[in-house]
Amino acid sequence: MAKTPSFSCNACGAVHNKWSGRCDACGAWNSIVEDVPISTGPTAQSLGAKKGRRIALSDLAGEEAPPPRKASGIGELDRVLGGGLVPASAILVGGDPGIGKSTLLLQAAASFARAGLSAVYVSGEEATAQVRMRAQRLELTDAPVRLAAETNLRDILTMLEAEKPDVAIIDSIQTMWSDQVSSAPGSVSQVRAAAHELTTFAKRHGVAVILVGHVTKDGQIAGPRVVEHMVDTVLYFEGERGHQFRILRAVKNRFGPADEIGVFEMTGEGLAEVTNPSALFLSDREDPAPGSVVFAGIEGTRPVLCEFQALVAPTPHSQPRRSTVGWDGGRLAMILAVLEARCAVPFAGMDVYLNVAGGLRVSEPAADLAVAMALLSAREDIALPPQSVVFGEISLSGALRPVSQTENRLKEAQKLGFTAAIAPERSKMTTTAGLAMRQYRDLTGLVGDMFGAG
Ligand code: TYD
Ligand code: MG
């Protein structure tokens, strides 16, 4: 029986049953290619005839030691990995081109090597001389990292099998090509095949494999999402081009908490760790201005303070603009609707801009109240009381909901010199860390109290 060909989109990974010039799932042009089967060995036809090996079953109960971890010595990286590198695990590090992935991983390789692990760095994008030059600039040349510039997957696997390193870095997965698959490097089939072979290799030989993956404009690892399912840990390296801050974020981790972030600063000598992100994100803050609110947030296991800035201005357009950086646009629309419907504060006919300063991206609903207060403060042109932080979730009814880890938020604010907090009523805490608390049951009460409206 001849197998009908299938096609997939290089941009989003959607599967189609025929070729076309444009992917109707993501709208990309000229991105659909035919899938080529990875294996040329026995196929499904022969599966029924051949009997499988009987697998031994085991119980749920049983002593299992936690995975031994190897710390790199780069604290922010180890934190995001959940305490260090787990042997035989596969890790994907995604990010925009030029954000600093190669820099980070070369520094990580050197750090692992200095900590006594054997590390191999394979670059498919740069020549050995280029990587050496970078290493010189980063002052890493003393670290015993083994280097190769290669894209042929079969050769790389043979080398890794002979070398048996503790950690292998593959930069990047899009440049690798397997001779098992006939399509071009970077295509879905190639990326999928290379990721599959490398992750299988990691498990079989106990080598921790770190894959670098470039991200498309809409924020997905170029090629298939399937790579994310294959690996144990997915980290995203993100940041604004104009800013020197870089955030390494765990979005999936089989061996530790997801949502954890590590903060770095890109300097002339490579990436430097930022151990106190709150101080960094607030460092450029001017005196309290209308529209500026400090949010006491939690990123992973750690409290992080950051500034929300809003600008509200009459619009010259028939359709007012709603623009956000670092915060979800849908959530902004919801908060605007609550302010209009529950507090009678209209935003019709006004452009609204919202920005999280410093290039941080906040996804916690606990920032709802900070967003609402930034909007109100900008609209009414009234600055918030100085030295106060804000947190709380807003429901559609306009009620304020308590959020988790109230005490950690307050303690961090107190550490950075804040003296007051605006929070929901019934927030769980045994101490206010010395902060003056202003607590509200709903948004209407707060609006009436602080902005004299509502
Ligand atoms: P790179 O690690 O090559 O990015 P990626 O691998 O994600 O594509 O980073 C390249 C950028 O980083 C480049 O614009 C220059 C900058 N950079 C520094 O600012 N300082 C440094 O020490 C290094 C090595 C790079
Ligand atoms: Mg690179």
Side-chain angles (χ1 to χ4, degrees):
M1 191 185 74
K3 200 175 171 296
T4 47
S6 84
F7 299 83
S8 44
C9 169
N10 266 344
C12 69
V15 178
H16 302 268
N17 54 15
K18 64 174 179 15
W19 189 88
S20 67
R22 182 168 190 255
C23 172
D24 46 16
C26 70
W29 287 96
N30 221 5
S31 63
I32 295 181
V33 290
E34 183 171 349
D35 288 330
V36 185
I38 290 175
S39 164
T40 49
T43 54
Q45 298 158 35
S46 57
L47 267 182
K50 213 169 138 198
K51 213 164 173 196
R53 183 172 55 87
R54 181 158 177 188
I55 303 164
L57 298 170
S58 56
D59 300 324
L60 273 180
E63 290 288 308
E64 208 64 62
R69 291 179 185 276
K70 312 238 166 96
S72 68
I74 303 178
E76 293 295 295
L77 174 65
D78 292 336
R79 168 208 303 281
V80 177
L81 288 173
L85 192 67
V86 176
S89 65
I91 298 161
L92 177 69
V93 179
D96 290 328
I99 202 74
K101 300 181 295 299
S102 302
T103 308
L104 175 73
L105 290 171
L106 192 60
Q107 285 183 259
S111 209
F112 281 123
R114 283 178 183 149
L117 274 70
S118 53
V120 168
Y121 183 97
V122 181
S123 177
E125 308 202 327
E126 292 165 307
T128 346
Q130 273 175 296
V131 181
R132 282 214 194 98
M133 253 161 61
R134 187 193 298 248
Q136 242 161 37
R137 194 144 80 96
L138 302 174
E139 293 176 9
L140 303 173
T141 39
D142 64 303
V145 177
R146 312 287 293 145
L147 202 62
E150 186 53 67
T151 56
N152 184 327
L153 193 62
R154 192 187 288 269
D155 295 349
I156 291 171
L157 290 174
T158 308
M159 175 273 290
L160 289 177
E161 220 174 312
E163 201 77 18
K164 289 203 176 49
D166 293 311
V167 51
I169 292 163
I170 309 291
D171 188 2
S172 65
I173 188 74
Q174 276 98 359
T175 55
M176 297 296 133
W177 67 275
S178 158
D179 50 19
Q180 305 273 81
V181 180
S182 59
S183 51
S187 65
V188 179
S189 328
Q190 280 289 3
V191 170
R192 196 186 289 164
H196 176 74
E197 296 216 21
L198 286 161
T199 47
T200 317
F201 178 87
K203 302 280 167 271
R204 194 169 299 153
H205 297 272
V207 175
V209 172
I210 305 181
L211 308 173
V212 174
H214 292 299
V215 159
T216 54
K217 270 184 248 92
D218 55 353
Q220 296 199 343
I221 303 269
R225 269 245 123 123
V226 284
V227 179
E228 296 195 7
H229 300 299
M230 281 184 214
V231 296
D232 301 303
T233 304
V234 178
L235 309 179
Y236 273 97
F237 202 40
E238 52 194 37
E240 298 284 318
R241 272 298 165 88
H243 287 293
Q244 69 274 39
F245 316 132
R246 297 285 180 271
I247 291 159
L248 186 65
R249 187 186 292 275
V251 293
K252 163 183 171 179
N253 196 350
R254 286 195 185 133
F255 304 113
D259 294 334
E260 195 64 84
I261 65 164
V263 185
F264 297 88
E265 192 175 354
M266 184 60 101
T267 69
E269 289 82 46
L271 291 156
E273 287 184 69
V274 174
T275 43
N276 190 348
S278 301
L280 182 80
F281 290 129
L282 297 180
S283 60
D284 292 339
R285 213 159 75 91
E286 298 137 28
D287 286 335
S292 153
V293 169
V294 175
F295 167 54
I298 301 281
E299 292 287 345
T301 53
R302 164 168 69 168
V304 172
L305 265 51
C306 61
E307 183 190 357
F308 275 74
Q309 303 167 337
L311 179 67
V312 176
T315 183
H317 310 289
S318 56
Q319 274 281 357
R321 286 202 63 152
R322 304 282 186 252
S323 170
T324 65
V325 178
W327 175 253
D328 179 51
R331 198 101 193 158
L332 171 69
M334 187 201 95
I335 293 166
L336 287 170
V338 172
L339 284 171
E340 295 207 8
R342 309 292 175 200
C343 312
V345 184
F347 284 88
M350 291 176 182
D351 286 336
V352 174
Y353 300 90
L354 185 79
N355 174 38
V356 182
L360 187 68
R361 219 171 52 212
V362 178
S363 55
E364 248 196 309
D368 287 354
L369 188 55
V371 173
M373 297 205 54
L375 294 172
L376 287 165
S377 157
R379 190 186 182 285
E380 306 297 323
D381 203 24
I382 297 174
L384 247 59
Q387 303 309 322
S388 40
V389 295
V390 175
F391 57 87
E393 189 178 337
I394 298 174
S395 72
L396 285 179
S397 66
L400 297 186
R401 291 202 195 117
V403 294
S404 64
Q405 303 199 45
T406 299
E407 280 177 18
N408 283 343
R409 297 174 200 267
L410 295 175
K411 281 181 197 154
E412 178 79 358
Q414 188 265 341
K415 242 195 309 185
L416 283 143
F418 287 87
T419 53
I422 300 164
E425 239 176 53
R426 299 179 327 247
S427 290
K428 264 199 207 120
M429 57 190 165
T430 50
T431 164
T432 62
L435 268 69
M437 301 295 296
R438 292 175 78 159
Q439 291 177 273
Y440 296 92
R441 178 184 294 275
D442 52 41
L443 206 50
T444 326
L446 182 150
V447 171
D449 195 20
M450 302 195 65
F451 299 98

